[in-house]
Amino acid sequence: MKKTTLLVVCTVLISVIGTAQKATDLINESIVAIGGKQNFYNLANVNYDLEYRTPPGDNAITLLAHETYAFDGELSHSIYKEHSLTGANGKVIEGYDGTDAWVTFDGVISADEKANGVARFLRKTNYYWFAMFFKLADQGVNHELLEDQKVNGVDYHRVKITFGDKVGDAQDTYVVYINKETKVIDQFLFTVVGFGITDPFLMTFEYETIDGIKIPSKRKYIQADWEGKVLGKEYTHTNWTNIKFNTAIDKSIFKKPAQ
């Protein structure tokens, strides 16, 4: 009886380890398919124009900005043309130096707790969105193989992504859809735990290739269920344009200005 129980436990463990490894292999293949992790990080930095618009309404959000990131340290900086989350009419600049986030309004450093919280969320989130597919193999990221699914006639592997307790400010859940033919991620489900949202959104996108890297630069998302069925009525749109890698940047822009 004990031998039988031990055999069953061993069989289950082997199966779990095997499916987890397959999930990790699929993620690694997807990273290669969009240009390769090392090739991406060798580009050192990126700057681009960001347009983010939620559906119209009383709580609509519009963000128009020029973003700059340095990959070493995940440093982040943004100069806004429009920033409806702050309610500010003047010039808004946000930065993240790898540890602390900050925001200035018309050149004056803000001590407002809410504004600084928004700045930290956007600086870390916007960087993550841009580098996300290359970060899915980072230490502390967990991969779980789910059942395959066909979407609009295309066959997909699905991998559930979760994060260790000390990975990031909030531990969201993702389900990525990996195209069986091309190996690239065509869409994914995600939560926004930092804003208390645990029901998923579905993100779809179009790629463009810059310096050998596929970038999901034209994006939209909408409320969905965990099987990818759309539940919402209107999409939030995000566009990244004028993307330039490996330019000469002054890293002092990421540091918090003096009071």
Side-chain angles (χ1 to χ4, degrees):
M1 188 68 175
K2 290 183 179 179
K3 289 184 179 180
T4 302
T5 302
L6 181 60
L7 179 60
V8 170
V9 171
C10 289
T11 302
V12 171
L13 285 174
I14 290 170
S15 177
V16 169
I17 293 169
T19 55
Q21 185 58 52
K22 182 177 180 182
T24 298
D25 290 343
L26 290 170
I27 292 298
N28 287 332
E29 288 174 1
S30 75
I31 292 172
V32 172
I34 60 171
K37 185 173 185 176
Q38 194 58 54
N39 292 333
F40 175 75
Y41 285 113
N42 283 346
L43 293 171
N45 61 64
V46 68
N47 64 86
Y48 66 96
D49 294 323
L50 167 72
E51 176 187 16
Y52 174 91
R53 297 184 187 275
T54 64
D58 292 340
N59 297 314
I61 298 170
T62 299
L63 302 173
L64 302 176
H66 184 72
E67 302 266 315
T68 302
Y69 312 141
F71 300 151
D72 184 10
E74 301 189 356
L75 312 181
S76 178
H77 181 270
S78 187
I79 302 173
Y80 286 88
K81 294 180 180 178
E82 186 170 348
H83 195 326
S84 61
L85 279 174
T86 65
N89 295 318
K91 185 177 182 180
V92 180
I93 298 178
E94 293 174 347
Y96 177 69
D97 62 7
T99 302
D100 297 316
W102 51 267
V103 57
T104 61
F105 299 102
D106 290 328
V108 179
I109 194 74
S110 173
D112 181 81
E113 186 175 332
K114 181 179 178 180
N116 284 314
V118 168
R120 183 176 180 87
F121 175 81
L122 290 175
R123 289 308 87 227
K124 299 198 75 174
T125 299
N126 287 4
Y127 176 90
Y128 185 80
W129 282 134
F130 193 90
M132 171 182 164
F133 293 160
F134 299 98
K135 291 180 64 58
L136 293 179
D138 284 0
Q139 187 175 358
V141 180
N142 307 310
H143 310 134
E144 178 185 344
L145 190 65
L146 303 180
E147 290 184 1
D148 293 349
Q149 189 172 333
K150 185 185 289 286
V151 179
N152 297 326
V154 179
D155 291 320
Y156 289 99
H157 297 293
R158 292 189 305 153
V159 177
K160 181 179 179 180
I161 305 293
T162 56
F163 302 85
D165 291 341
K166 296 182 180 180
V167 179
D169 287 354
Q171 284 67 51
D172 284 300
T173 299
Y174 293 79
V175 174
V176 298
Y177 286 65
I178 303 173
N179 189 307
K180 289 187 178 182
E181 181 177 352
T182 66
K183 311 298 184 185
V184 304
I185 296 171
D186 283 349
Q187 63 179 38
F188 60 87
L189 297 162
F190 68 100
T191 60
V192 190
V193 173
F195 275 74
I197 301 172
T198 55
D199 291 327
F201 293 98
L202 175 68
M203 177 80 79
T204 56
F205 37 83
E206 297 176 17
Y207 285 101
E208 65 175 301
T209 302
I210 301 172
D211 293 342
I213 303 297
K214 288 183 179 294
I215 304 295
S217 57
K218 189 174 182 179
R219 304 153 66 90
K220 61 182 182 180
Y221 67 83
I222 195 167
Q223 293 94 337
D225 65 20
W226 283 112
E227 291 303 310
K229 180 182 178 181
V230 172
L231 301 178
K233 298 186 181 300
E234 295 184 277
Y235 284 87
T236 289
H237 292 267
T238 304
N239 294 309
W240 303 334
T241 56
N242 302 317
I243 300 169
K244 296 180 176 64
F245 286 108
N246 203 20
T247 60
I249 61 172
D250 180 358
K251 285 193 174 183
S252 67
I253 65 172
F254 304 110
K255 295 180 181 179
K256 183 177 180 179
Q259 296 283 0

